[in-house]
């Protein structure tokens, strides 16, 4: 696992966006050979999405031959609800980058048979050739997507009950009223994420410091589901200095030393 430490959220966001663009451009996607990208929602990737929009408008990358699969969606709120993840992705990325609508895949939390929806989502990922790069964030409790503490590290796309802590954290998007936050969500599993060729996590701010410590410095643990990335063949965390507050100084110095030549955004 690599750890890239930036001194601000802005630099973190620019670094990740440039890394994704270079990965797409190096792959040289075509209609018959698209680049498959997994995407998160939440506050962590917003800066990266803004940078991606700039790079598209500057002609640095095209999403014409990119297929996306989002990590999760709430159950029981309409697709057009301002806090649905369909709306989030349209507002923060999709409307600005010229990606074909048929290339966008987001779980449907309003379908009649939620289990069938989850099973078919896994099949759609396979049919697309598998995810080449899965971008993600983590919760303060170290969860990835909606794989809450205690989730199986082999889990697949499924229905998940959200913890009260997660609903409190997300209540800021629902008028700070935890009762407005859905109790159920559809989410890709930890195993689904681990199947990707590459996983990149964004970890921003002091509020994620304990989780980063658990993921980096302690063992693989289903109570901190993102720790599974220790076992991934190509995983990377990109964080800012604030997020390293609970790491040992030896760890911070080690990663800063070995990555010192890789801190500038990729040339694209």
């Amino acid at each position: 696992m690599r750890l890239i430490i930036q001194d601000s959220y802005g630099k973190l966001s620019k670094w990740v966006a440039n890394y994704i663009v270079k990965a797409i451009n190096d792959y040289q996607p075509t209609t018959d050979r698209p680049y498959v990208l997994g995407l998160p929602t939440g506050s962590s990737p917003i800066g990266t999405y803004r940078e991606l929009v700039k790079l598209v408008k500057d002609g640095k990358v095209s999403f014409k031959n990119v297929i996306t699969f989002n990590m999760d969606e709430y159950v029981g709120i309409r697709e057009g609800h301002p806090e649905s993840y369909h709306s989030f992705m349209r507002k923060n990325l999709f409307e600005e980058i010229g990606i074909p609508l048929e290339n966008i895949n987001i779980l449907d939390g309003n379908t009649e048979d939620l289990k069938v929806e989850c099973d078919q989502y896994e099949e759609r990922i396979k049919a697309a050739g598998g995810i080449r790069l899965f971008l993600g964030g983590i919760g303060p409790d170290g969860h990835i997507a909606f794989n809450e503490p205690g989730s199986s590290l082999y889990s697949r796309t499924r229905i998940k009950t959200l913890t009260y802590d997660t609903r409190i954290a997300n209540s800021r998007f629902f008028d700070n009223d935890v009762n407005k936050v859905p109790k159920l969500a559809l989410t890709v599993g930890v195993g689904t994420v681990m199947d990707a060729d590459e996983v990149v996590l964004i970890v921003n701010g002091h509020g994620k410091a304990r989780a980063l410590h658990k993921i980096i410095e302690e063992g693989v643990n289903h109570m901190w589901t993102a720790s599974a990335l220790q076992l991934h063949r190509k995983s990377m965390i990109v964080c800012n200095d604030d997020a390293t507050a609970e790491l040992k100084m030896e760890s911070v110095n080690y990663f800063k030393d070995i990555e010192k030549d890789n801190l500038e955004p990729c040339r694209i």
Side-chain angles (χ1 to χ4, degrees):
M1 180 189 289
R2 295 176 63 189
L3 179 66
I4 304 291
I5 303 171
Q6 298 286 348
D7 60 18
S8 70
Y9 177 67
K11 289 183 179 179
L12 176 164
S13 299
K14 186 173 183 178
W15 197 98
V16 174
N18 280 39
Y19 186 86
I20 292 170
V21 167
K22 186 176 187 303
I24 294 171
N25 289 341
D26 286 351
Y27 187 76
Q28 298 182 335
T30 63
T31 302
D32 296 328
R33 186 174 170 269
Y35 190 90
V36 185
L37 181 63
L39 295 173
T41 52
S43 58
S44 295
I46 288 178
T48 296
Y49 290 162
R50 288 172 180 163
E51 293 293 334
L52 284 174
V53 169
K54 291 178 186 177
L55 291 169
V56 169
K57 291 184 176 180
D58 288 344
K60 300 293 185 181
V61 68
S62 170
F63 277 77
K64 179 181 178 181
N65 294 314
V66 174
I67 293 176
T68 63
F69 285 88
N70 262 78
M71 282 188 159
D72 40 34
E73 178 58 289
Y74 291 117
V75 170
I77 62 174
R78 57 187 171 80
E79 183 178 315
H81 187 286
E83 298 306 333
S84 77
Y85 290 159
H86 284 76
S87 293
F88 177 96
M89 293 305 301
R90 284 196 297 269
K91 175 184 176 182
N92 289 290
L93 186 64
F94 292 150
E95 289 180 348
E96 304 290 336
I97 61 172
I99 186 171
L101 290 178
E102 62 269 22
N103 287 8
I104 296 170
N105 295 274
I106 305 178
L107 285 154
D108 182 356
N110 290 293
T111 189
E112 184 174 332
D113 193 325
L114 296 175
K115 185 180 184 305
V116 168
E117 170 68 7
C118 293
D119 292 343
Q120 290 180 346
Y121 204 67
E122 290 279 341
E123 292 303 316
R124 293 207 299 274
I125 291 173
K126 290 178 183 177
I131 293 172
R132 297 200 62 83
L133 187 154
F134 223 135
L135 180 66
I138 61 170
D141 58 6
H143 73 256
I144 184 169
F146 273 133
N147 294 287
E148 307 277 44
S151 295
S152 167
L153 301 184
Y154 289 94
S155 55
R156 314 305 303 186
T157 303
R158 67 204 188 287
I159 309 162
K160 196 74 179 70
T161 301
L162 303 183
T163 66
Y164 189 62
D165 284 346
T166 294
R167 292 173 59 227
I168 288 175
N170 289 358
S171 67
R172 66 189 187 278
F173 303 118
F174 291 85
D175 302 321
N176 291 310
D177 185 349
V178 69
N179 294 312
K180 293 182 180 180
V181 183
K183 295 181 180 181
L184 295 176
L186 304 183
T187 181
V188 297
V190 180
T192 314
V193 175
M194 292 288 285
D195 279 351
D197 292 345
E198 181 174 5
V199 182
V200 178
L201 289 189
I202 297 169
V203 181
N204 173 56
H206 191 276
K208 306 291 178 67
R210 183 165 182 253
L212 184 62
H213 155 65
K214 293 286 186 178
I215 293 165
I216 292 288
E217 295 181 326
E218 295 194 3
V220 176
N221 188 328
H222 70 300
M223 298 306 291
W224 300 85
T225 53
S227 67
L229 266 66
Q230 293 179 31
L231 304 178
H232 196 278
R233 59 194 174 276
K234 190 176 183 182
S235 64
M236 175 167 56
I237 294 175
V238 188
C239 70
N240 63 348
D241 280 327
D242 287 348
T244 68
E246 294 199 24
L247 294 182
K248 295 175 183 176
M249 187 56 67
E250 297 96 315
S251 298
V252 173
N253 290 340
Y254 169 76
F255 284 109
K256 283 187 173 181
D257 178 57
I258 64 172
E259 298 288 359
K260 62 187 175 184
D261 296 328
N262 301 313
L263 297 180
E264 293 301 315
C266 303
R267 292 178 178 270
I268 53 176

